[in-house]
Amino acid sequence: MDIVTANGAALPALGFGTFRMPGEEVLKILPLALKVGFRHVDTAQIYGNEAEVGEVISGSGIAREDIFLTTKVWVDKFAHKDFIPSVDESLRKLKTDYVDLLLLHWPQSPVPLAEQIGALNEVRKAGKVRHIGVSNYNTALMGEAVALSDAPIVTNQIEYHPYLDQAKVLAAARSYGMSVTAYYAMANGKVPNEPLLAEIGARYGKTAAQVVLRWLIQQQGVVALSKTATESRLGENFAVFDFLLTGDEMAAISALARPDGRIVNPGHLAPQWD
Ligand SMILES: NC(=O)c1ccc[n+]([C@@H]2O[C@H](COP(=O)([O-])OP(=O)(O)OC[C@H]3O[C@@H](n4cnc5c(N)ncnc54)[C@H](OP(=O)(O)O)[C@@H]3O)[C@@H](O)[C@H]2O)c1
């Protein structure tokens, strides 16, 4: 597994996502994902499956320190009085005494950013989380978060796939020593049906999905998340470390970006995007 280093953190370049995965599905598919080789698991308080993620990881026989575990604090828990108990509750559900990475899930909140970042730092100092980060931040918010935080911010988890140009966020992240963690790599089903990606993949005996995961992790400082509830796709999505896209292929994939390429944009949660 390739590792992305960012501000002292070592993030496995490919993570297993659990959004829209009910607990029962987690119990079925996550053990198989770990068997295939995934060692980075992404969940969130709002996904409602932390307990099942914890059950699978704690029962997996894999040492806790060999799994990189991320969870995210939901926006209704950003006030300090709610934040700290919510992290304790996440740890209880996850059956562990620390997570590797704790993120603020979305930026829109009446709670001042300084309070949110203060709480992130507090749980880090207490040893409940190893690293801290943000999600769905624009470049201005990234700068504010970095300035407010004692501990380094290690990632901004954002929507990123070939149809959405994230060059500005990537450049900002690199300037702060941060990584970018890409979600929605499959662009809601568009990626597997994209002829250009299939054509590039055919050169390597790979699928369009594998090409996009490769395109993501081949970029400096980029971590990719991949979610599937389909057993046969686990091996497919993990087999992206044995080929290399050319510079021309990387550029051709990036050229699929278009102005209306963004898919995830909830008005009550999202910032003014760059
Ligand atoms: N921070 C945030 O706000 C945020 C937002 C969204 C997601 N995330 C995180 O990012 C993770 C990834 O995003 P995502 O869940 O949208 O997943 P994704 O990796 O983009 O793909 C999900 C969809 O693509 C299908 N798929 C997966 N592999 C495929 C393949 N090889 N060929 C064809 N179809 C394939 C899956 O179907 P099947 O499951 O039916 O196989 C699923 O419907 C999430 O699970 C979550 O952990 C974070």
Side-chain angles (χ1 to χ4, degrees):
M1 167 72 72
D2 294 4
I3 297 291
V4 173
T5 54
N7 281 331
L11 299 91
L14 185 64
F16 187 73
T18 64
F19 179 42
R20 295 183 285 200
M21 198 178 270
E24 274 182 25
E25 215 162 62
V26 168
L27 294 176
K28 270 198 301 201
I29 202 86
L30 185 54
L32 303 175
L34 295 174
K35 202 173 273 178
V36 159
F38 282 93
R39 288 293 180 273
H40 172 172
V41 180
D42 183 90
T43 182
Q45 293 173 349
I46 197 73
Y47 298 171
N49 60 18
E50 285 177 313
E52 288 81 5
V53 167
E55 192 175 326
V56 171
I57 290 178
S58 62
S60 67
I62 300 168
R64 172 66 191 87
E65 62 267 27
D66 291 337
I67 295 182
F68 189 98
L69 177 60
T70 301
T71 195
K72 315 181 193 83
V73 178
W74 189 241
V75 293
D76 65 353
K77 300 289 188 288
F78 280 174
H80 182 272
K81 69 173 181 28
D82 303 318
F83 193 111
I84 308 296
S86 89
V87 173
D88 291 338
E89 174 70 13
S90 285
L91 294 179
R92 247 192 318 277
K93 287 179 175 165
L94 288 164
K95 296 164 193 62
T96 181
D97 48 15
Y98 72 95
V99 289
D100 296 276
L101 181 58
L102 185 72
L103 307 180
L104 301 171
H105 205 145
W106 282 91
Q108 249 188 67
S109 164
V111 178
L113 189 56
E115 185 171 338
Q116 301 174 38
I117 298 287
L120 271 183
N121 276 273
E122 187 177 321
V123 290
R124 183 181 176 276
K125 272 200 198 101
K128 296 172 185 176
V129 321
R130 287 180 60 219
H131 303 287
I132 58 174
V134 296
S135 179
N136 299 299
Y137 270 36
N138 62 19
T139 53
L141 284 164
M142 287 166 75
E144 282 179 48
V146 167
L148 286 166
S149 189
D150 294 336
I153 307 284
V154 308
T155 204
N156 183 13
Q157 186 178 125
I158 54 168
E159 177 182 346
Y160 190 22
H161 45 69
Y163 307 103
L164 181 58
D165 178 6
Q166 290 286 24
K168 285 184 184 157
V169 178
L170 266 172
R174 287 173 185 148
S175 78
Y176 297 126
M178 293 167 57
S179 60
V180 157
T181 302
Y183 73 70
Y184 258 62
M186 296 299 114
N188 247 356
K190 282 207 284 289
V191 159
N193 295 311
E194 178 66 52
L196 172 77
L197 299 169
E199 186 193 311
I200 292 174
R203 296 172 200 159
Y204 303 96
K206 297 287 180 182
T207 63
Q210 290 172 314
V211 167
V212 163
L213 293 172
R214 180 71 221 172
W215 170 80
L216 286 167
I217 61 173
Q218 211 172 297
Q219 298 174 52
Q220 188 216 325
V222 176
V223 173
L225 296 178
S226 167
K227 175 260 168 184
T228 181
T230 310
E231 190 178 341
S232 61
R233 289 176 175 158
L234 287 171
E236 175 186 345
N237 294 357
F238 195 72
V240 294
F241 298 102
D242 58 353
F243 72 115
L244 206 60
L245 297 166
T246 66
D248 283 351
E249 288 165 344
M250 292 290 289
I253 298 166
S254 299
L256 289 170
R258 50 186 205 224
D260 64 348
R262 188 179 296 281
I263 299 166
V264 186
N265 193 15
H268 62 300
L269 298 169
Q272 192 75 43
W273 301 111
D274 292 286

